[in-house]
Amino acid sequence: MTGAVAGARAVLELVRAPAALTVLGDTLAGAAASGRPVTAGRTARLALASTCLYWAGMALNDYADREVDAEERPGRPVPSGRISPGAALATAAALTGAGLASAAAAGRDTLAVAVPLAATVWAYDLALKNTPYGPAAMAAARGLDVLMGAGARRTRHALAPAALLAAHTYAVTMVSRKETLGASASLPAGALAATGAVGLVAAALTPQTAAPSHRTASTALLGGYALAAGSAQLAAIVRPDATHLKRAVGAGIHAMIPLQAALTARGGSLRAAFSLLAAYPVARSLSRKVSPT
């Protein structure tokens, strides 16, 4: 492997590049809920903004966790010496700037949400992650990413999908805290209960005035979400060791895609929902090469 290829792979690992497929649907769900037209130009700018801010958070995470990773994940780019701590921090800063610039290009009301989103990402990684407020901060970041799709002037219309994706994120984050150590069965059991609750609430919130095709699609996608996240969580309840908890975390991350698709369909954008769903098998396949956790 040449130096350039090895360096590129290290950067891809640093930012967990394929996992960005799990944030593309946030802004689609937010836009659909707010009634904003799903235009190609705005969608592309929002997708780039979400991706850059997500990657920034991953790079910053590895910078902040470099000492812990030296013991628990020595193969990660920073503790293995493939990327220096300074380079990881610079990557996070550059990606944050790119994300904010892309949000600004999508509109001032989009930037108005992107700024607190970026601030939450940095606060989580540098100050809140290992405190009792860490999971809530991570959930807030996901919720803000959904609201970015609606824009500052229409955030109230997207509060429901933002809250549902935030709740799912909170549960996954709680499990991720023990993914290298193992835990009691109550931890994945709590995550499984959260998955069921999110699915049921999302189904109940689907407007009765929605077209039958939209309600049917949303229900089917919510079933896919429950299966995608719940099967691994159930396995982790039976054997709550590090291996099964890590699988539950990975499955929970990927399950955000069918949940986003269901919420997008609920908002009336079937084409966008099924286009989004196509990312699910791709994300799962790529995760075998670059871990999402």
Side-chain angles (χ1 to χ4, degrees):
M1 184 181 295
T2 66
V5 172
R9 179 174 177 81
V11 172
L12 292 176
E13 288 184 35
L14 177 73
V15 300
R16 281 88 158 171
L21 291 170
T22 66
V23 300
L24 300 180
D26 287 345
T27 52
L28 281 176
S34 70
R36 297 193 74 141
V38 182
T39 62
R42 185 171 187 271
T43 298
R45 295 183 188 99
L46 288 173
L48 181 58
S50 289
T51 297
C52 287
L53 292 174
Y54 183 86
W55 281 346
M58 294 297 100
L60 191 61
N61 174 81
D62 276 22
Y63 167 78
D65 280 0
R66 58 194 183 279
E67 294 180 1
V68 174
D69 284 347
E71 297 181 5
E72 297 181 356
R73 301 179 180 89
R76 293 291 303 157
V78 174
S80 67
R82 289 178 291 149
I83 291 181
S84 70
L89 182 59
T91 298
L95 286 168
T96 299
L100 292 175
S102 185
R108 293 172 62 182
D109 63 334
T110 302
L111 180 62
V113 183
V115 169
L117 169 56
T120 302
V121 168
W122 280 73
Y124 170 79
D125 281 321
L126 296 183
L128 301 175
K129 182 192 308 180
N130 297 317
T131 73
Y133 307 106
M138 179 66 85
R142 179 67 67 161
L144 285 167
D145 200 36
V146 176
L147 296 179
M148 188 167 67
R153 292 191 295 272
R154 301 190 185 189
T155 53
R156 66 185 181 88
H157 299 292
L159 288 176
L164 289 169
L165 278 159
H168 175 79
T169 300
Y170 185 93
V172 172
T173 304
M174 288 294 293
V175 177
S176 73
R177 290 184 148 198
K178 297 293 185 179
E179 68 175 337
T180 63
L181 305 171
S184 67
S186 62
L187 184 62
L192 181 61
T195 296
V198 166
L200 289 173
V201 171
L205 288 176
T206 301
Q208 292 300 312
T209 54
S213 59
H214 293 174
R215 292 201 302 271
T216 300
S218 181
T219 300
L221 289 165
L222 286 172
Y225 155 70
L227 180 62
S231 57
Q233 291 164 347
L234 183 60
I237 294 172
V238 177
R239 294 186 60 186
D241 55 26
T243 298
H244 286 83
L245 289 180
K246 186 172 183 178
R247 289 174 183 168
V249 172
I253 292 172
H254 293 139
M256 290 180 186
I257 297 175
L259 177 56
Q260 293 159 345
L263 294 171
T264 301
R266 169 185 173 274
S269 299
L270 276 185
R271 181 179 298 179
F274 285 109
S275 296
L276 175 61
L277 191 62
Y280 180 71
V282 178
R284 290 197 61 189
S285 176
L286 291 176
S287 70
R288 299 186 183 98
K289 298 183 178 182
V290 179
S291 173
T293 68

